[in-house]
Amino acid sequence: MTWDQMQPLLVQGCVDTLYMVGWSTAVAALGGLPLGVLLVLTDRGGMLRNTAVNKVIGAVVNVGRSLPFIILLVALIPFTRLLVGTFIGPTAAIVPLAVGAIPFFARLVETAVREVDHGLVEAVQAMGGGTGTTVFKVLLPQALPSLVAGLTTTVIVLVGYSAMAGVVGGGGLGNLALTYGYQRFETGLMLATVAVLIVLVTLVQLLGDTAVRLLTRHERKGG
């Protein structure tokens, strides 16, 4: 296969991969952020201490993280078909990608929020600040660099997950590598796909690291 033949396939594969990863990252952030914060707030010493709720959320997150993605991908086929009408294609792949990423990101959020200086939380509480004020004025702003780092890690994991989604016709670079590179023995296209994935992950990591450095610098100046 010549480069002229590979180029449109790689471009479409990149577009599909970015589409899947972008939407699943957004869903993972919307779902994982509140779960991670709740894990901290409902734990011992938290402002909303509730052992039962904390254990339930923790169990759900642990189960979600322990399942290999390929198994989750297959197990969610009925749910995916019910939700989007099919289990094949980039849009269908967003469902298992997001479900797999939510508990992963939730644990990263929990770790980031726990790193916030407890003295700042106590100071806000001493001034009459409630749970909402503490979360949005102290916990999330102070944990922002770590949250961005966690989100960067999540995006990179999702790029890998999206490649696995190609096994069940999820589209993207993974499907391209499987359909053309493996099944049709197009070694050149397989290597090109791997190279594109490496570049994509590297760019995500660089952007994430840059954002973390800028946020950390701004936080220090603000302090």
Side-chain angles (χ1 to χ4, degrees):
M1 183 177 286
T2 65
W3 171 249
D4 288 338
Q5 293 172 314
M6 288 192 290
Q7 188 175 7
L9 294 173
L10 289 170
V11 170
Q12 187 59 51
C14 281
V15 171
D16 289 344
T17 295
L18 291 174
Y19 169 73
M20 290 187 289
V21 172
W23 278 105
S24 55
T25 298
V27 176
L30 290 174
L33 185 62
L35 281 180
V37 173
L38 279 174
L39 281 169
V40 177
L41 295 180
T42 58
D43 201 4
R44 288 179 296 178
M47 297 181 69
L48 301 176
R49 179 178 177 178
N50 190 314
T51 304
V53 172
N54 185 267
K55 286 184 176 180
V56 169
I57 297 175
V60 171
V61 169
N62 288 338
V63 169
R65 289 186 63 197
S66 63
L67 286 175
F69 180 70
I70 191 66
I71 294 176
L72 183 67
L73 189 66
V74 175
L76 286 177
I77 284 178
F79 177 68
T80 301
R81 186 188 287 116
L82 179 66
L83 201 63
V84 299
T86 181
F87 67 92
I88 297 173
T91 300
I94 293 172
V95 177
L97 285 172
V99 171
I102 286 174
F104 180 84
F105 184 57
R107 282 300 184 191
L108 296 179
V109 171
E110 179 191 11
T111 301
V113 173
R114 288 191 188 281
E115 292 175 351
V116 175
D117 186 359
H118 194 65
L120 295 173
V121 176
E122 292 177 341
V124 172
Q125 291 176 317
M127 291 186 291
T131 303
T133 301
T134 303
V135 170
F136 292 105
K137 297 293 185 181
V138 179
L139 294 179
L140 293 183
Q142 291 294 319
L144 191 55
S146 295
L147 291 174
V148 171
L151 190 63
T152 301
T153 301
T154 303
V155 172
I156 291 173
V157 168
L158 281 170
V159 171
Y161 282 178
S162 72
M164 280 189 277
V167 174
V168 293
L173 293 169
N175 187 62
L176 181 63
L178 180 68
T179 304
Y180 288 88
Y182 178 72
Q183 295 178 349
R184 301 186 186 182
F185 304 102
E186 293 287 353
T187 306
L189 183 59
M190 174 74 83
L191 293 175
T193 302
V194 172
V196 171
L197 284 169
I198 292 173
V199 170
L200 186 59
V201 168
T202 302
L203 287 175
V204 170
Q205 190 66 64
L206 287 174
L207 289 172
D209 290 345
T210 301
V212 170
R213 283 196 296 269
L214 291 173
L215 289 169
T216 302
R217 190 179 306 162
H218 177 73
E219 186 178 286
R220 288 174 180 172
K221 286 182 179 179

